[in-house]
């Protein structure tokens, strides 16, 4: 099946610094990728939809200037958490949409990135 | 977007069959039903996908009635390693993929 790779798997950063998370579709092209945030014992919350070659679409309540998304190629989307604060500590997950053999679409997920801001 | 409703949690003994039902009353004609499994600190993993009737693969079965307003994921003979959160997703064009709360399955020895 299709593979989505996220990097890094975990990161610890100081408050006020910025952190970049990469999401790559390894064996397929993805014009659309999604970024989620998941707090402990909660479901995945959609943050934004990343569209290749255009601006990302952010969900209500998500600050676009704080969570910068760049989808510069068909296989790579990046999420940059700017001026990170402890409350940004969370598990960030990306997904990319692939089309299966019979035309059904399927969302493939990265392994997630654990961000801890100290 | 079709909203989904699942039980928050379920317990099962090892070796038993587990059925998790998801309600999606507002499912659209072009929507598929997909189930994912998530372990702690990992991304969701695809289990099975279907449109109608019954679908079976090496790990699960998916039952979808004719009106498609619900679906049931069936896990045969669960083991401790099946303890996870299971999400039911309903999406068509995948312009936007949102998650419900999911069902936390606890398998008991």
């Amino acid at each position: 099946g299709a593979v989505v790779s996220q990097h890094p798997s975990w990161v610890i950063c100081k408050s006020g610094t910025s952190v970049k998370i990469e999401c790559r579709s390894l064996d397929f092209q993805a014009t659309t990728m999604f970024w989620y945030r998941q707090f402990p014992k909660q479901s995945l919350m959609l943050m934004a939809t990343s569209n290749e070659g255009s601006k990302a679409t952010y969900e209500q309540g998500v600050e676009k200037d704080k969570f910068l998304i760049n989808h510069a190629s068909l296989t790579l989307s990046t999420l940059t958490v700017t001026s990170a604060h402890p409350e940004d500590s969370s598990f960030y997950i990306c997904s990319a949409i692939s089309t299966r053999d019979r035309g059904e679409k399927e969302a493939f997920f990265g392994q997630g990135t654990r961000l801890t801001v100290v | 977007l079709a909203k989904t409703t699942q039980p928050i949690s379920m317990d099962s003994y090892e070796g038993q069959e587990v059925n998790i039902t998801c309600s999606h009353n507002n499912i659209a004609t072009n929507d598929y039903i997909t189930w994912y499994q998530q372990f702690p600190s990992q991304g969701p993993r695809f289990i099975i996908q279907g449109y109608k009737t019954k679908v079976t693969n090496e790990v699960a079965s998916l039952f979808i009635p004719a009106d498609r307003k619900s679906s049931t994921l069936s896990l045969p003979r669960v083991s401790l390693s099946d303890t996870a959160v299971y999400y039911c997703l309903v999406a068509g064009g995948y312009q936007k993929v949102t998650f419900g709360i999911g069902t936390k399955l606890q398998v008991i020895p």
Side-chain angles (χ1 to χ4, degrees):
Chain A
V3 177
V4 174
S5 177
Q6 242 181 280
H7 177 81
S9 297
W10 59 270
V11 58
I12 302 173
C13 71
K14 291 184 178 180
S15 186
T17 61
S18 296
V19 173
K20 179 184 285 188
I21 303 170
E22 293 186 348
C23 179
R24 294 181 184 274
S25 56
L26 296 186
D27 51 0
F28 66 100
Q29 295 182 332
T31 56
T32 302
M33 291 185 177
F34 300 102
W35 286 96
Y36 298 86
R37 179 168 52 182
Q38 186 175 34
F39 293 107
K41 298 184 178 181
Q42 294 187 23
S43 183
L44 287 76
M45 292 183 59
L46 181 64
M47 299 175 65
T49 302
S50 170
N51 301 295
E52 188 269 336
S54 64
K55 292 183 178 180
T57 303
Y58 290 82
E59 294 300 301
Q60 189 173 9
V62 178
E63 300 176 56
K64 61 181 181 180
D65 294 330
K66 182 170 183 62
F67 299 99
L68 301 179
I69 292 174
N70 188 332
H71 194 156
S73 77
L74 287 172
T75 59
L76 174 64
S77 176
T78 61
L79 168 68
T80 301
V81 183
T82 63
S83 186
H85 291 284
E87 58 265 30
D88 297 323
S89 298
S90 187
F91 191 56
Y92 293 85
I93 306 170
C94 72
S95 78
I97 306 304
S98 177
T99 302
R100 301 171 73 193
D101 293 342
R102 288 182 291 183
E104 309 99 317
K105 293 186 184 295
E106 180 180 338
F108 291 90
F109 292 85
Q111 70 269 39
T113 298
R114 173 73 60 190
L115 170 63
T116 302
V117 184
V118 298
Chain B
L1 295 173
K3 181 180 177 180
T4 60
T5 304
Q6 302 173 232
I8 294 175
S9 65
M10 294 180 70
D11 292 338
S12 175
Y13 287 102
E14 270 191 296
Q16 290 188 331
E17 177 185 79
V18 172
N19 296 308
I20 306 174
T21 297
C22 178
S23 296
H24 28 80
N25 292 318
N26 297 322
I27 189 169
T29 303
N30 66 337
D31 285 340
Y32 280 81
I33 301 157
T34 311
W35 285 79
Y36 288 86
Q37 176 191 55
Q38 186 184 29
F39 297 112
S41 296
Q42 294 186 27
R45 187 181 69 158
F46 173 91
I47 301 175
I48 196 166
Q49 183 183 74
Y51 185 81
K52 61 181 178 181
T53 64
K54 177 184 175 182
V55 179
T56 298
N57 61 21
E58 61 275 9
V59 298
S61 294
L62 178 60
F63 299 91
I64 305 169
D67 65 5
R68 303 201 326 122
K69 293 186 177 183
S70 66
S71 60
T72 299
L73 172 71
S74 181
L75 304 173
R77 298 180 298 281
V78 294
S79 63
L80 295 177
S81 62
D82 293 318
T83 294
V85 179
Y86 293 83
Y87 294 97
C88 158
L89 263 69
V90 175
Y94 278 83
Q95 288 83 11
K96 189 170 178 175
V97 180
T98 57
F99 283 78
I101 294 176
T103 298
K104 181 177 172 63
L105 173 65
Q106 180 69 51
V107 179
I108 306 165

